[in-house]
Amino acid sequence: MRALFTDFYQLSMMQGYFFSKPKEVAVFDMYFRKAPSGGAYAILCGINEVIEYIQELKFSPDDIAYLKKSGYFKDEFLEYLKSFKFSGEIYAIDEGSIVFAHEPLIRVRANILEAQLIETAILNTVNFQTLIATKASRVCESAKNASVMEFGLRRAQGRSAGLYGAKAAFVGGCIGTSNVEAAAKFNLPALGTHSHSWVQSFDSELESFRAYAKMYPNATLLLVDTYDVLNSGLPNAITVFKELRDKGHEPLGIRIDSGDLEYLTKEARKMLDDAGFKDAKITASNDLDEYAIEHLYQSGAKIDSYGVGTKLITSQDSPSLGGVYKLSGVERNSKVEPKIKISNDPRKINNPGLKQVFRFYDKDTHKALADVICLDGESFENLESLEIFHPLYTYKRYKLQNFYTKKLLKPLFENGKFVGEKKSVKDIAQTTKSEKQSMWSEYLRNVKPPTYKVDLSQKLWDIRENLLTKHRS
Amino acid sequence: MRALFTDFYQLSMMQGYFFSKPKEVAVFDMYFRKAPSGGAYAILCGINEVIEYIQELKFSPDDIAYLKKSGYFKDEFLEYLKSFKFSGEIYAIDEGSIVFAHEPLIRVRANILEAQLIETAILNTVNFQTLIATKASRVCESAKNASVMEFGLRRAQGRSAGLYGAKAAFVGGCIGTSNVEAAAKFNLPALGTHSHSWVQSFDSELESFRAYAKMYPNATLLLVDTYDVLNSGLPNAITVFKELRDKGHEPLGIRIDSGDLEYLTKEARKMLDDAGFKDAKITASNDLDEYAIEHLYQSGAKIDSYGVGTKLITSQDSPSLGGVYKLSGVERNSKVEPKIKISNDPRKINNPGLKQVFRFYDKDTHKALADVICLDGESFENLESLEIFHPLYTYKRYKLQNFYTKKLLKPLFENGKFVGEKKSVKDIAQTTKSEKQSMWSEYLRNVKPPTYKVDLSQKLWDIRENLLTKHRS
């Protein structure tokens, strides 16, 4: 039912186009207007799944039968759907890239029936994965050198949220996931040891720890808060760690999942050190997010790794990315005629036309300076300097010098054929890592970061102004 | 990969149990500690998908190969997994029921390996669907007699969130969904007309409206805010509505998706009425939730139906239900020995033992009075009266009289065999409707509702106290 993974109005519009202007070619841009969680940036994620969706997109006989039964669609149109496939052009920014508000992340130029159908799946896929990759990046930034593991499956918004959320979390910087399906599908480290029920099911905590250490002598990480961390969990864990060492094994460490993590981890560190287990690691979990982790870090809590669940996999404080997919032009005589949608809110007016995005880098530091959205075909490579300006507050101007540029939108599909490159999730995570290195750290700050400059080229700005003037009259 | 839809620690514990106590039988309860969005209740949803999961649960050769490759699992255990199937007992409350914090919604009594494996999928499924059904119920409560359509797929947290979220929204009271896949799978009304891009793609708004009306003369609902609602959208819509009427068709109405919905819908109502289209409906959308709808209703906005997207499908203000799955007992000589997990937070201590939940109804009004969690086997049917008390603040006492009771937990699986009843989504929605009628309206209030009484039977309370005392010493 992959073709039915769409909104009903896409199909009613398709039928409308089919009978009114079946040959129309349109340009649509996918972009968001605001980065999640009050941050300055987002990590683009979900492009691989967009590729798969486009490649596999077709209407099965069952899909056609369902649509026919609805009584809403004419036979001629259903006949067209039977042999439907995407035959247009798609450009996208590399998955794992750092992206900003208003930049076209995906650009579709295709027959309007095709371009319209794919809107919903593209938005669903890219909105969610980008949201979670961004959240993971924020959490990992706050954890500094401590590692972060994703284990939110039980609170994820459904199975695919858990599956692709785990992928996105890895792209954003997590070291692995508790989700076995995700680990298998994306070749990620699967992590996890035991829960409270393991401890409860034995007659005593000590007995449960012994049984675990016996089973996993080289991977003994014990959850110490089923009854009482300092008075029961840790003394029992240390007893078992000593028994392990006597048999020639070193324990991995402990996990604390409740209580005051600053106090408990400081005490636990002392107890472990005093008992001779300086290398035993302390893992902390319990409803954590980037803000809680930041405070734990500042307070000197002794935490080597974090398990982060609910608040990461749902992006709790900002559980949706409002990515949109807007018509920006239609073809007339093989040329793209720019189109605009007007709104009282000036930030909601779309950028018309067939566009490209350039990132400007400083030649010496190789840090990103600004992005410019421009018309397709514009180039800035041979300029000595470029004065850019804020698209709404045009008095805000900035002169770029000593730069080189990179074109961000790259071809994925041409004439319906995949012409891009599909990277492994580990490679995508690597892209994110180097993208973050190309950014000044201010922009990666979780709280009140500065705004990264994303301006319009003069040519694009002029077209936009002209269309606004035209619609005013 | 259905069997891998789990957390890695379930598998590491399973292997641990397999080699330390493979015959252990345990009891687990699924429950939540706090209803979402500050409400008093939740709508239980997802039971059908739990049934399907249990019925189809097995490890494929690929799953086994993946686990073997990890190097973490021994051959003897992998051999066991090859023929794994669930062979235990599951009780659950009827899907669509109104449920409250701390009540066991699902009770599993099974070999501990089996009971442990299924934790993650049960939580993922029931947490999400219950969350969205509850949110939808809240939104529909605020909409009073206006209808609510779900159309959040593009912002849902992945494809299955959109799919099962649409189901849950229908259970909670929505009249249909934009999600074609969900409509097809669950036999729900698929709804939707056209977007701004339809309007933009034509040379003028009027032309676009005419084309839509030509295609759908008996289902003409026009989106009027692409350029300017009152000065362009409505005049053009009315022109087309008149042309339609001249040809013998009546329009459905208009949709407004931006701007001030109170002002615009009042003005639109006047313009439509004055033009002779008193039956044309006004649909409103734009980032709505139960709070915004409540205010629109209070302000007298002229809205016949709402389209609700992002904030419903993600339960934006409360994007996770913290449902847990806790070990409450292990079998010793065919009897369940109660087990407890202790926490500093008294609301986090689980209720031990094999339990049942009763709802007490008033014999005259048939309204629910209170719920009592008790030990399996207890009965209250022939009592004249019953004094119930708050489990933590035991001075809070209440005398139930003139009541009859219903047992909420019912058998779904016995010896691994499905013995329950699987209802259609429409029937589940019907259950929700009658459940809501059995509740005093105070409990359904969205903001600051009173707490519905969920108390423990004296027997259960005694067991809990005894275990706490035992662990203190």
Side-chain angles (χ1 to χ4, degrees):
Chain A
M1 301 215 287
R2 194 170 277 260
L4 302 191
F5 174 24
T6 193
D7 289 305
F8 187 76
Y9 78 0
Q10 315 289 15
L11 296 169
S12 55
M13 283 190 280
M14 281 174 83
Q15 176 166 254
Y17 292 131
F18 182 79
F19 287 106
S20 65
K21 44 181 181 177
K23 299 290 173 207
E24 182 101 312
V25 171
V27 177
F28 285 81
D29 300 317
M30 194 246 148
Y31 59 97
F32 60 85
R33 296 177 182 127
K34 207 164 156 265
S37 298
Y41 70 100
I43 306 288
L44 179 61
C45 197
I47 300 297
N48 272 354
E49 285 69 30
V50 168
I51 295 168
E52 287 166 14
Y53 165 76
I54 296 290
Q55 287 179 320
E56 294 167 19
L57 182 58
K58 63 171 187 208
F59 288 83
S60 72
D62 281 356
D63 297 339
I64 302 286
Y66 168 74
L67 295 176
K68 189 173 170 62
K69 212 179 61 184
S70 76
Y72 202 79
F73 301 101
K74 300 191 177 177
D75 285 345
E76 206 180 334
F77 174 64
L78 293 174
E79 205 52 46
Y80 157 80
L81 291 185
K82 279 184 192 167
S83 58
F84 178 95
K85 65 189 200 62
F86 183 79
S87 67
E89 170 193 285
I90 301 181
Y91 276 55
I93 295 179
D94 282 347
E95 185 159 10
S97 296
I98 290 187
V99 291
F100 300 96
H102 298 286
E103 297 179 344
L105 310 175
I106 298 176
R107 187 187 89 189
V108 176
R109 181 182 189 168
N111 177 292
I112 197 165
L113 284 87
E114 299 174 20
Q116 195 72 66
L117 176 67
I118 64 179
E119 170 177 16
T120 309
I122 287 181
L123 288 176
N124 176 281
T125 304
V126 178
N127 273 335
F128 174 60
Q129 291 194 35
T130 299
L131 180 72
I132 302 306
T134 308
K135 186 69 171 178
S137 167
R138 295 169 57 84
V139 170
C140 293
E141 284 294 309
S142 71
K144 308 283 190 290
N145 292 321
S147 58
V148 177
M149 164 200 170
E150 184 285 308
F151 69 174
L153 179 55
R154 62 191 53 198
R155 305 282 165 76
Q157 297 202 345
R159 182 172 172 189
S160 66
L163 181 60
Y164 296 102
K167 169 204 155 180
F170 190 84
V171 168
C174 291
I175 59 155
T177 178
S178 72
N179 185 331
V180 190
E181 186 180 12
K185 185 174 171 71
F186 301 114
N187 188 26
L188 310 177
L191 304 171
T193 56
H194 73 86
S195 70
H196 299 114
S197 61
W198 172 270
V199 178
Q200 286 174 274
S201 78
F202 287 83
D203 287 336
S204 75
E205 189 178 51
L206 185 61
E207 201 182 311
S208 80
F209 287 176
R210 280 198 178 116
Y212 195 84
K214 189 177 166 202
M215 186 70 230
Y216 303 107
N218 295 313
T220 302
L221 194 151
L222 299 171
L223 178 62
V224 295
D225 70 334
T226 302
Y227 303 114
D228 186 321
V229 174
L230 300 179
N231 296 307
S232 168
L234 267 163
N236 285 330
I238 287 168
T239 300
V240 172
F241 289 174
K242 286 179 175 161
E243 293 169 4
L244 260 181
R245 185 174 277 174
D246 288 345
K247 290 175 196 140
H249 304 284
E250 278 300 300
L252 288 189
I254 60 158
R255 176 162 76 100
I256 304 178
D257 185 45
S258 60
D260 186 76
L261 295 176
E262 176 187 342
Y263 172 71
L264 291 174
T265 59
K266 285 177 175 173
E267 291 297 309
R269 186 71 271 160
K270 270 188 252 165
M271 290 169 76
L272 289 168
D273 289 354
D274 290 350
F277 295 99
K278 286 190 193 296
D279 291 336
K281 302 288 186 223
I282 299 178
T283 295
S285 52
N286 188 17
D287 241 356
L288 297 175
D289 61 10
E290 65 269 46
Y291 313 108
I293 291 175
E294 183 74 42
H295 284 281
L296 286 169
Y297 176 82
Q298 296 295 346
S299 72
K302 298 295 184 192
I303 298 170
D304 302 290
S305 72
Y306 293 94
V308 182
T310 311
K311 291 184 174 176
L312 166 53
I313 203 72
T314 63
S315 187
Q316 179 115 358
D317 64 339
S318 189
S320 60
L321 177 68
V324 294
Y325 180 89
K326 293 289 175 193
L327 183 117
S328 62
V330 290
E331 273 193 17
R332 297 282 177 260
N333 308 316
S334 303
K335 279 187 136 173
V336 175
E337 181 181 300
K339 290 279 186 177
I340 204 161
K341 182 202 169 297
I342 300 181
S343 170
N344 271 330
D345 179 349
R347 298 297 282 178
K348 281 200 169 183
I349 298 172
N350 71 303
N351 289 315
L354 186 74
K355 297 178 294 295
Q356 178 56 272
V357 188
F358 282 88
R359 183 157 296 167
F360 289 69
Y361 294 88
D362 184 275
K363 274 184 181 164
D364 299 324
T365 63
H366 302 289
K367 296 285 187 190
L369 297 168
D371 289 4
V372 171
I373 308 172
C374 62
L375 292 177
D376 194 75
E378 286 194 78
S379 166
F380 309 93
E381 199 46 42
N382 296 316
L383 297 176
E384 271 295 302
S385 72
L386 178 71
E387 189 179 71
I388 59 173
F389 59 95
H390 191 285
L392 297 177
Y393 315 119
T394 52
Y395 73 90
K396 290 191 181 187
R397 284 167 182 266
Y398 183 79
K399 197 169 173 182
L400 295 168
Q401 281 173 308
N402 190 42
F403 60 77
Y404 60 95
T405 64
K406 279 187 195 164
K407 214 184 252 195
L408 301 192
L409 280 169
K410 298 175 185 170
L412 271 192
F413 286 89
E414 277 170 5
N415 299 316
K417 235 190 94 199
F418 180 56
V419 295
E421 190 197 352
K422 219 175 137 188
K423 289 187 294 183
S424 74
V425 174
K426 282 182 181 165
D427 285 345
I428 297 168
Q430 204 46 55
T431 298
T432 300
K433 211 168 271 177
S434 35
E435 283 274 301
K436 284 171 94 165
Q437 281 161 1
S438 75
M439 284 286 148
W440 291 110
S441 62
E442 299 92 296
Y443 298 119
L444 302 178
R445 210 162 66 215
N446 286 334
V447 176
K448 287 198 178 288
T451 305
Y452 180 84
K453 289 180 189 65
V454 178
D455 292 345
L456 307 187
S457 74
Q458 187 70 50
K459 278 188 187 168
L460 176 56
W461 192 87
D462 288 345
I463 286 180
R464 196 169 185 263
E465 284 300 297
N466 286 339
L467 278 175
L468 285 174
T469 311
K470 190 184 131 198
H471 276 283
R472 248 199 316 273
S473 60
Chain B
M1 301 215 286
R2 196 169 277 260
L4 302 191
F5 175 22
T6 194
D7 288 305
F8 187 77
Y9 78 0
Q10 314 289 14
L11 295 169
S12 56
M13 285 191 277
M14 282 174 81
Q15 177 166 254
Y17 293 132
F18 181 79
F19 287 106
S20 64
K21 43 179 181 178
K23 300 288 173 207
E24 182 100 313
V25 172
V27 177
F28 285 82
D29 301 317
M30 193 245 149
Y31 60 97
F32 59 86
R33 295 177 182 127
K34 207 165 156 263
S37 299
Y41 70 100
I43 307 288
L44 178 63
C45 197
I47 300 299
N48 272 354
E49 285 68 31
V50 168
I51 294 168
E52 288 166 14
Y53 165 76
I54 295 291
Q55 287 179 320
E56 295 167 18
L57 182 57
K58 63 170 187 211
F59 288 83
S60 72
D62 280 355
D63 297 340
I64 302 287
Y66 168 74
L67 295 175
K68 189 171 170 61
K69 212 180 57 182
S70 76
Y72 201 80
F73 302 100
K74 300 191 176 176
D75 286 345
E76 207 179 331
F77 174 64
L78 293 173
E79 206 51 48
Y80 156 81
L81 290 185
K82 279 184 192 168
S83 57
F84 178 95
K85 62 187 200 66
F86 183 79
S87 67
E89 171 192 285
I90 301 181
Y91 276 55
I93 295 179
D94 282 346
E95 185 160 9
S97 296
I98 289 185
V99 292
F100 300 97
H102 299 286
E103 297 179 344
L105 309 176
I106 298 177
R107 188 186 88 189
V108 176
R109 181 182 190 167
N111 177 291
I112 197 164
L113 283 87
E114 300 174 19
Q116 196 72 66
L117 176 66
I118 64 178
E119 170 177 17
T120 310
I122 287 180
L123 288 176
N124 175 282
T125 304
V126 178
N127 274 336
F128 174 61
Q129 291 194 33
T130 299
L131 180 72
I132 302 305
T134 308
K135 188 68 173 178
S137 167
R138 295 168 58 82
V139 171
C140 293
E141 284 293 309
S142 71
K144 308 283 188 289
N145 292 322
S147 58
V148 178
M149 164 199 172
E150 184 283 309
F151 68 174
L153 178 55
R154 61 191 55 197
R155 305 282 165 76
Q157 295 202 345
R159 182 173 171 187
S160 66
L163 182 61
Y164 295 102
K167 170 204 156 180
F170 190 84
V171 168
C174 290
I175 59 156
T177 178
S178 72
N179 184 331
V180 189
E181 186 180 13
K185 185 174 170 71
F186 301 114
N187 188 26
L188 309 177
L191 304 172
T193 56
H194 73 86
S195 71
H196 299 114
S197 60
W198 172 271
V199 178
Q200 285 174 274
S201 78
F202 287 83
D203 287 335
S204 75
E205 189 178 51
L206 184 61
E207 202 184 310
S208 80
F209 287 177
R210 279 198 179 119
Y212 195 84
K214 189 179 167 199
M215 186 71 231
Y216 302 109
N218 296 313
T220 302
L221 195 151
L222 299 171
L223 177 62
V224 295
D225 71 334
T226 302
Y227 303 113
D228 185 320
V229 174
L230 301 179
N231 297 305
S232 166
L234 267 163
N236 285 331
I238 286 170
T239 300
V240 171
F241 288 175
K242 285 180 177 165
E243 293 169 4
L244 260 180
R245 185 174 278 173
D246 288 344
K247 290 175 195 139
H249 304 284
E250 278 300 299
L252 288 188
I254 60 158
R255 176 161 78 98
I256 303 177
D257 185 45
S258 62
D260 186 77
L261 295 176
E262 177 187 341
Y263 172 70
L264 291 175
T265 59
K266 285 178 176 175
E267 292 296 309
R269 187 71 271 161
K270 269 188 252 167
M271 288 170 78
L272 289 167
D273 288 355
D274 290 350
F277 295 100
K278 287 190 192 295
D279 290 337
K281 303 288 186 222
I282 299 177
T283 296
S285 53
N286 187 17
D287 242 356
L288 297 175
D289 62 10
E290 65 269 47
Y291 313 108
I293 291 175
E294 183 74 42
H295 284 281
L296 286 170
Y297 176 81
Q298 297 293 346
S299 71
K302 299 295 184 191
I303 298 170
D304 301 290
S305 73
Y306 293 94
V308 182
T310 311
K311 290 184 175 176
L312 166 53
I313 203 71
T314 63
S315 187
Q316 178 115 357
D317 64 338
S318 189
S320 60
L321 178 68
V324 295
Y325 180 89
K326 292 289 173 194
L327 184 118
S328 62
V330 291
E331 273 193 17
R332 296 283 177 259
N333 309 315
S334 304
K335 278 187 138 173
V336 175
E337 183 180 298
K339 290 280 186 178
I340 204 160
K341 182 203 169 295
I342 300 181
S343 170
N344 272 330
D345 178 351
R347 298 298 282 177
K348 280 199 170 185
I349 298 172
N350 72 303
N351 290 315
L354 187 72
K355 297 177 295 294
Q356 179 55 273
V357 188
F358 282 89
R359 182 157 296 167
F360 289 69
Y361 294 89
D362 184 275
K363 274 184 180 163
D364 299 323
T365 63
H366 302 288
K367 295 286 187 191
L369 297 167
D371 289 4
V372 171
I373 308 172
C374 62
L375 292 177
D376 193 74
E378 286 194 80
S379 166
F380 308 94
E381 199 46 42
N382 297 316
L383 297 177
E384 272 294 301
S385 72
L386 178 71
E387 190 180 68
I388 59 173
F389 58 96
H390 191 285
L392 297 177
Y393 315 119
T394 53
Y395 73 90
K396 289 192 182 187
R397 285 169 181 265
Y398 183 79
K399 197 169 172 183
L400 295 168
Q401 280 174 307
N402 189 43
F403 60 75
Y404 61 95
T405 64
K406 279 187 196 165
K407 215 183 253 194
L408 300 193
L409 280 170
K410 298 176 186 170
L412 271 194
F413 287 88
E414 276 170 5
N415 300 315
K417 236 191 95 201
F418 180 57
V419 296
E421 191 196 351
K422 217 175 138 189
K423 289 187 297 183
S424 73
V425 174
K426 282 183 181 164
D427 285 346
I428 297 169
Q430 204 46 55
T431 300
T432 301
K433 212 169 270 177
S434 34
E435 282 274 298
K436 284 171 94 166
Q437 279 160 3
S438 76
M439 284 286 149
W440 292 110
S441 61
E442 298 91 299
Y443 298 119
L444 303 178
R445 211 163 64 214
N446 285 334
V447 176
K448 288 198 175 289
T451 305
Y452 179 84
K453 290 181 186 66
V454 178
D455 293 345
L456 306 187
S457 73
Q458 186 70 49
K459 279 188 185 165
L460 176 56
W461 192 87
D462 288 345
I463 286 179
R464 195 170 186 263
E465 284 301 297
N466 287 339
L467 279 176
L468 286 175
T469 312
K470 192 184 131 199
H471 276 283
R472 248 198 317 271
S473 61

